Amino acid sequence: MKRIVQIGLSASLLAVALWLAFRGFNPADFKTSLSAIQYPQLALAGFAVIVSSMLAAMRLQLIAAGYGYKLTAREAVATLSLGQIGGLLFFQIFGQLAARSSYLGRRSVPFAGTVLITTQERIAAALVSLALAAAGAIYLFRHLSFDAVAASDLLEAIAGVLIASIAPIIIWKREIASYLSTVTRTDLLRVVQNVGLSLAVQLAMMAAYVSAGRAFGASHSLTDLAAASALVMFAASIPISFAGWGIREMSAVVALGAIGMTDERAVCVALAVGIISIVTAGLLAAVSARTLEKGASHSIVSTTAGKLRPEAFLAGFLPVSVALLMFFQVHVPTTKSVINVNLADPFAIVAGFLLLFSAWRSPPVWRLSYLNFHILACSLAMLVALLIGASRVGWTEWAVTTKFLGWFVLLAFGATGAMGTRIDLSRILTTVTVVGAIIIAAELVGVLVSASGFTKKYFLDGFAQNVNAFSFQCLMVLAASLARDPRNRLVIGLALAAITIAGSRAAIGSAFVVLVTAIIFIPAIWRKVLDATIIACVIVYFIQISGGMASGTMSVLAERSVSDADHYATMYSGFRMFLESPVFGAGLGVFIAEWPATYKLVIHSTPVWLLAEFGIVGAALFLVPIVRIAFGELCRFRRDDVAGNLLLLIIAGFSAMSCFHELFNQRTFWFLLGASLATVTKEKSRTPVKERG
């Protein structure tokens, strides 16, 4: 049932993406683009795809040898091409693994070996593709206009990362030393070869996109075409579709349109590359995939081959990196706008890929039954809302990029948290709380320094670039510290002091809700909470008498009346929008697109936003799992259950503060949610609730 739902979701995504890509096309312009094909350039694109496939087969052969499985060049080509066809027919990941395992199983490669090979192959491809996409984005938006303030903010963020990274290095020093001791020169050489071949594969495919662009008469420079193609290639590689179909076409409209290519021509380029890739895979499969009796191929070459497991290293490195970097939100200014980037996003995306593949060998066990079904239902709600919104206001960057694609990034953060629990939930939470405490302490020191006149720090916003976002981060640090180690009164006191000094009333009220929840459900914690509250009062009083709160308080009070008016206006308008379309909502991105003022605002309430743009049906799909989690933990409350305590506290904090601010995209919440949901405590009278979705 779950596989059927996943395939249905991907089919819906394909339909929506193709509809968005083709919507509004002029048939005459489309016909003109097709009639202007330059066949020599198209043939060159086909040759580039063949070269890319051969290089990918070499990479697969190298990875298989690293795990002790010797494949011939023909077998590597057959495995690759059959996997591509399987990904087209039966969803990208599952179809690819099914086709590969069926073929390699006849070559004495077990299913677990197929998963390992595919996982390492996709990790290398994802890392290189992500790097090329980032380079392409920087090139396309290369006209950066840094002023002194922007440059100072970026330098502060870099310094903050360097200082805060000391904490995870100390916390995980034993694992770091143990892993480094196993690394050999052969291992490093194999990794370099893998990355080098992945880069060659991507560059060959990039050449195919460039040639296809020229085949349809594009007069843009090679560098412009290559940079835009890198973005299209990365989007198509995300495993949420049938071999990239639909996503490739939609992303081509956006990326190639950024360099001035018409929508019709961009779709033609994407379709040409997609068709050539599938035809090439079919031809290579027909030539290379011959029948072979089971066991007639090659046995394991060496029991020590593949000692260095990159997926094992990344399974530890990625969650720790995300726990560190998710506190850092960077605003990169360009000539037209400001690009909002979270430094942890690339690491979380790669972790999401890794968890999807590892689920074949070791399916995750969740605290909540049918969790996978809830995730698929919420994703479907996103698709429907995107389709409804596009039909009303057209394609908008906020709807597609920030919310729709951002939803999958949030799922990646949840997956990264779940991956972290496979290592050590306790130390993952310690990493989060210690890194958060370092950032909070640095902010408080900054306030004291500003009081002496050396700097002008009016707001306590950390590296979140926003007072309320930073206050929410402090709220999550507070919840994690209370659940993990309430004896650490200093961290709790620092979080409470930062929330108070930042001046966010919603955060202050939510902190009170979290503290009350902790006192009710965590035994004998009230004394520790009292001690931490006294520490927070001392810190606030000391900063207040030093004059560090004066300028910030005046600035907050000066802007609060305007901010309150905007908040209430968006909430009122959002509720009116819900009443106009109560069942399925107005559609994703409609509110911000129709906001009458020049300065666009979002609905400053997550529940109201869900009701306005998703309707009762869509909002229920998001709210039901949260309610189920909360009531489930209340009904089976267990003493000394860190994950259960954490779930209750983060849900209490998020629910309280999100009523007055839009916090759906806050990464810290999703990371901690995934970490706690993946932790199942065994009891004498119970067995873990296995995923039935």
Side-chain angles (χ1 to χ4, degrees), residues 192-489:
V192 171
Q193 291 174 333
N194 192 355
V195 173
L197 283 172
S198 297
L199 179 61
V201 169
Q202 295 292 324
L203 292 177
M205 185 58 67
M206 186 181 293
Y209 274 94
V210 172
S211 299
R214 291 297 176 87
F216 288 96
S219 58
H220 308 83
S221 67
L222 292 177
T223 51
D224 284 347
L225 286 172
S229 299
L231 297 175
V232 179
M233 291 158 53
F234 175 72
S237 68
I238 299 176
I240 56 175
S241 62
F242 292 92
W245 285 92
I247 296 297
R248 177 174 49 241
E249 286 68 33
M250 184 173 67
S251 60
V253 172
V254 178
L256 295 175
I259 62 174
M261 186 178 294
T262 63
D263 293 351
E264 291 80 9
R265 187 170 292 171
V267 170
C268 286
V269 171
L271 289 175
V273 173
I275 293 172
I276 291 173
S277 298
I278 261 319
V279 170
T280 300
L283 292 176
L284 291 177
V287 172
S288 60
R290 297 199 299 265
T291 303
L292 187 68
E293 294 183 2
K294 185 176 181 179
S297 185
H298 311 279
S299 59
I300 296 178
V301 177
S302 171
T303 57
T304 60
K307 184 180 180 181
L308 177 65
R309 297 289 178 89
E311 73 281 355
F313 168 74
L314 289 176
F317 172 76
L318 292 173
V320 177
S321 298
V322 171
L324 165 67
L325 297 174
M326 65 183 178
F327 291 95
F328 295 87
Q329 197 81 13
V330 178
H331 290 175
V332 181
T334 67
T335 54
K336 294 183 178 180
S337 61
V338 174
I339 303 174
N340 195 355
V341 179
N342 188 287
L343 297 184
D345 284 354
F347 298 90
I349 292 172
V350 175
F353 277 97
L354 183 57
L355 187 69
L356 282 174
F357 282 104
S358 65
W360 280 86
R361 286 179 295 157
S362 178
V365 179
W366 305 108
R367 295 175 76 92
L368 182 70
S369 60
Y370 302 105
L371 178 62
N372 289 344
F373 178 81
H374 283 301
I375 293 173
L376 292 170
C378 291
S379 301
L380 182 60
M382 277 282 179
L383 283 171
V384 173
L386 178 66
L387 178 61
I388 295 174
S391 66
R392 290 188 55 173
V393 298
W395 179 88
T396 63
E397 181 180 359
W398 188 87
V400 175
T401 304
T402 303
K403 288 300 181 183
F404 178 68
L405 295 180
W407 163 245
F408 295 100
V409 175
L410 297 178
L411 290 180
F413 272 84
T416 310
M419 185 182 296
T421 62
R422 296 187 175 186
I423 315 169
D424 191 334
L425 173 65
S426 178
R427 280 193 289 171
I428 285 291
L429 295 183
T430 300
T431 304
V432 172
T433 55
V434 173
V435 170
I438 291 174
I439 295 173
I440 291 171
E443 284 293 289
L444 295 177
V445 170
V447 172
L448 289 174
V449 172
S450 68
S452 62
F454 289 104
T455 61
K456 295 182 179 180
K457 187 173 184 62
Y458 298 114
F459 299 104
L460 210 64
D461 57 359
F463 297 98
Q465 307 294 339
N466 179 273
V467 171
N468 292 306
F470 176 67
S471 298
F472 182 77
Q473 290 180 351
C474 295
L475 193 66
M476 293 297 101
V477 171
L478 173 66
S481 186
L482 288 169
R484 162 66 183 90
D485 187 10
R487 295 170 298 177
N488 197 338
R489 298 166 176 84

Side-chain angles (χ1 to χ4, degrees), residues 612-634:
E613 297 196 342
F614 292 82
I616 293 177
V617 175
L621 291 176
F622 282 97
L623 295 177
V624 165
I626 298 296
V627 173
R628 284 193 62 210
I629 293 170
F631 276 95
E633 295 304 322
L634 290 174

Side-chain angles (χ1 to χ4, degrees), residues 7 29 56 79-80 87 92 104 125 150 186 188 271 345 362 430 448-449 463 487 499 541 544 551 555 634 640 665 685:
I7 292 174
D29 293 339
T79 303
L80 179 78
Q92 194 158 341
L104 290 177
T186 302
L188 294 177
L271 289 175
D345 284 354
S362 178
T430 300
L448 289 174
V449 172
F463 297 98
R487 295 170 298 177
I499 291 172
Y541 177 73
Q544 185 175 22
S551 59
S555 300
L634 290 174
D640 300 324
N665 281 23
S685 59

